[in-house]
Amino acid sequence: MQSLRLTAVFALLQCCALPITAQTASFPLQETWEKGYPQPTGTTLGLWHFDADKGLEDASGKGNSLTLRGSELAGKGRFGGGLLGHPGFPVQDKAHGATTAAKPASLSPKGAFTMEMWLQPSAELSPELRSYLLDKKYVDHTDYQWQLSEADKAGFRRMFVTLGFAAESKVFYSNPLKLETTQWHHVAFTYDAAGEGRFFVDGQAWGTMRHIGFGAVTPGVKALCIGD
């Protein structure tokens, strides 16, 4: 799998360790999320730990370092440091993420892939606010976008991933989940490049959706933004 890994506190969320990885038939199963991804695999597209000394460097070795855009490094994440964001629109109409340079070839998966991260909501994450966990898509029909929805009356949210296929985009929804401000959770989304997307929370299956007739995502030209 190609993996985009993020260890962070960001976008009203504290996140630690996020991967996007591309899948191959010989790729070994590795539950490295429980240990914070100390050793990225050769198929890892991006990995950010957000530690104090090299927090914005890409630990995958692919060179996709980040630039802070209204967010900040936090001293404590799930394992080391983290990325901390603040409320955006409609509270403050300004960016609050961390972004890469535009590198469509190196951050666009060519086949099956996984995105994952550790996150913990900030107290600023009010029920009416939506969070962008990852966005390399924006309004284009290319690449990927991962969001956390507003909360319903019972406090449940859904994760949803939008993938671009050149002529149109398709959305994949998770089952409802409730995120507490005192708890870290590992969340992941996998796409098989054949129309099936699956969500996981703390290693447990958290919803599957299929869109018949769709394959790999279409590479785009947008920079990757983490947390906004």
Side-chain angles (χ1 to χ4, degrees):
M1 293 222 148
Q2 292 178 339
S3 174
L4 181 101
R5 296 181 177 170
L6 173 148
T7 304
V9 186
F10 66 68
L12 308 181
L13 300 171
Q14 295 183 350
C15 305
C16 213
L18 161 81
I20 290 180
T21 0
Q23 191 172 27
T24 64
S26 60
F27 187 77
L29 296 176
Q30 298 178 2
E31 295 300 330
T32 55
W33 60 273
E34 296 175 296
K35 300 179 180 179
Y37 309 101
Q39 298 294 329
T41 67
T43 56
T44 300
L45 296 184
L47 170 59
W48 299 272
H49 290 299
F50 298 105
D51 293 330
D53 54 346
K54 298 181 179 179
L56 299 177
E57 292 185 10
D58 178 4
S60 75
K62 301 298 192 301
N64 292 306
S65 295
L66 299 170
T67 299
L68 294 177
R69 191 178 67 171
S71 59
E72 60 196 74
L73 291 178
K76 186 176 181 180
R78 173 63 177 83
F79 299 99
L83 178 68
L84 176 64
H86 304 284
F89 182 83
V91 179
Q92 296 181 62
D93 194 7
K94 58 176 67 174
H96 289 103
T99 185
T100 66
K103 294 185 177 180
S106 61
L107 287 171
S108 295
K110 296 179 176 59
F113 66 93
T114 295
M115 305 186 289
E116 58 192 285
M117 68 182 71
W118 281 95
L119 60 82
Q120 182 187 70
S122 151
E124 294 178 293
L125 185 61
S126 59
E128 66 273 14
L129 290 179
R130 178 186 300 184
S131 289
Y132 282 75
L133 306 181
L134 287 175
D135 187 9
K136 197 179 180 302
K137 181 181 186 299
Y138 192 47
V139 296
D140 295 348
H141 292 313
T142 57
D143 282 323
Y144 45 86
Q145 184 183 82
W146 190 2
Q147 298 181 62
L148 182 66
S149 75
E150 300 87 348
D152 63 18
K153 292 182 179 180
F156 286 90
R157 302 175 187 267
R158 289 179 187 266
M159 294 182 288
F160 60 103
V161 170
T162 308
L163 302 182
F165 299 100
E168 61 182 308
S169 297
K170 289 294 182 180
V171 183
F172 300 80
Y173 292 94
S174 76
N175 294 336
L177 72 158
K178 184 176 287 189
L179 298 173
E180 305 295 339
T181 58
T182 57
Q183 294 182 328
W184 284 94
H185 292 283
H186 180 269
V187 295
F189 172 79
T190 68
Y191 180 63
D192 68 355
E196 181 176 283
R198 303 176 68 194
F199 291 89
F200 298 86
V201 177
D202 297 328
Q204 302 299 311
W206 218 263
T208 300
M209 284 190 68
R210 297 177 182 86
H211 293 291
I212 305 301
F214 290 86
V217 299
T218 300
V221 297
K222 294 286 194 301
L224 171 66
C225 183
I226 300 173
D228 209 351

